[in-house]
Amino acid sequence: DNDQITWLEQHGYANAKRLSQQIHVENDWEKAVETVLGDSLQAVCVDQLDPVTALLGDFGKGKLTFLSGDSDRQLALTATHGGRLLADRVSGAAAVKALLAGIYAAEDLPAALALRGRLQAGESVVTPDGLWLGPNWLRVIRQGGAEQGVLARQKALEEVEAELETTQALADELNE
C-alpha cells in the first residue's frame, strides 16, 4: 500500500529487508511456514524496536509489522513432546524463532493428529502442505494454481539472480 511505502521512505526504512528476504526454509516446508507466518513474512526487519515506536505517532493508515533482531534476546526453543519444531526447519533471521515458538512440524496429517492430543495452550502443529492444528482449532489455506507463495517467489528470485551472476561472469570471460 502506498501509505505504508511513503511512511517507510519518510523514516528511512524503505530499503530495510523484509523477513522473507532474511530466512531460508527447508525444501517442502515453505507452505507450512507461509501458513504460520502469513503477513509477518513482509515484516520490516530492524535492529531495535524502540526507535520505531517513537515514530509511530504519524503513521495514520495501513498495516505494518516490524521485527527486531535484538541479539540479546535469543530464544532457546525445545520440543516438549518429541518431534521436530517448525523453527528447526528455518534458518537466517534469529528473530523468526520467536514467531514460530511452540509450533511443531509433522510430516503428514496422521502424525499431526497423533501429536494434537498432547498439545498445550499456545502450541500447535503444521504439516508441509500447510494444514495447521491447535488443541481445539484447525486452519487450512488453499490457493489457486497461479498464486505462488512469498517464499516460493523469493527462492525463485534467488535462483534467477545466481544464474544471472554465472551468465555475467561467463560473458565477462568471453569478452576478455
Side-chain angles (χ1 to χ4, degrees):
D1 191 307
N2 288 338
D3 291 334
Q4 288 96 311
I5 292 168
T6 302
W7 189 90
L8 289 169
E9 286 170 351
Q10 287 173 345
H11 295 290
Y13 291 108
N15 295 321
K17 293 233 184 222
R18 302 305 175 121
L19 181 60
S20 63
Q21 298 172 304
Q22 302 269 70
I23 62 174
H24 178 76
V25 179
E26 279 183 22
N27 285 340
D28 301 327
W29 287 92
E30 295 91 347
K31 188 165 190 170
V33 171
E34 285 191 11
T35 298
V36 171
L37 293 180
D39 289 345
S40 295
L41 284 167
Q42 294 304 320
V44 178
C45 296
V46 295
D47 291 332
Q48 297 178 332
L49 288 178
D50 290 347
V52 176
T53 58
L55 300 171
L56 292 177
D58 68 349
F59 182 67
K61 183 180 140 211
K63 178 168 64 170
L64 280 172
T65 302
F66 290 89
L67 188 61
S68 164
D70 291 350
S71 57
D72 58 339
R73 295 196 182 160
Q74 299 304 322
L75 287 181
L77 303 180
T78 55
T80 54
H81 304 299
R84 206 158 162 209
L85 293 169
L86 186 60
D88 295 338
R89 299 189 181 276
V90 181
S91 58
V96 76
K97 303 288 187 192
L99 297 175
L100 300 177
I103 302 173
Y104 289 86
E107 293 296 333
D108 53 30
L109 181 57
L113 291 171
L115 185 60
R116 186 172 159 241
R118 299 195 304 267
L119 294 175
Q120 303 297 311
E123 292 180 331
S124 58
V125 59
V126 66
T127 63
D129 63 351
L131 194 58
W132 190 16
L133 302 92
N136 64 341
W137 55 268
L138 161 70
R139 174 181 289 171
V140 61
I141 300 171
R142 297 285 188 244
Q143 296 175 325
E147 292 183 63
Q148 194 179 26
V150 173
L151 293 175
R153 285 195 309 269
Q154 183 65 33
K155 191 175 274 191
L157 182 62
E158 288 167 7
E159 288 169 4
V160 168
E161 287 172 350
E163 194 175 310
L164 184 61
E165 282 178 30
T166 304
T167 305
Q168 186 62 52
L170 182 59
D172 293 345
E173 196 176 303
L174 289 172
N175 282 336
E176 286 176 22

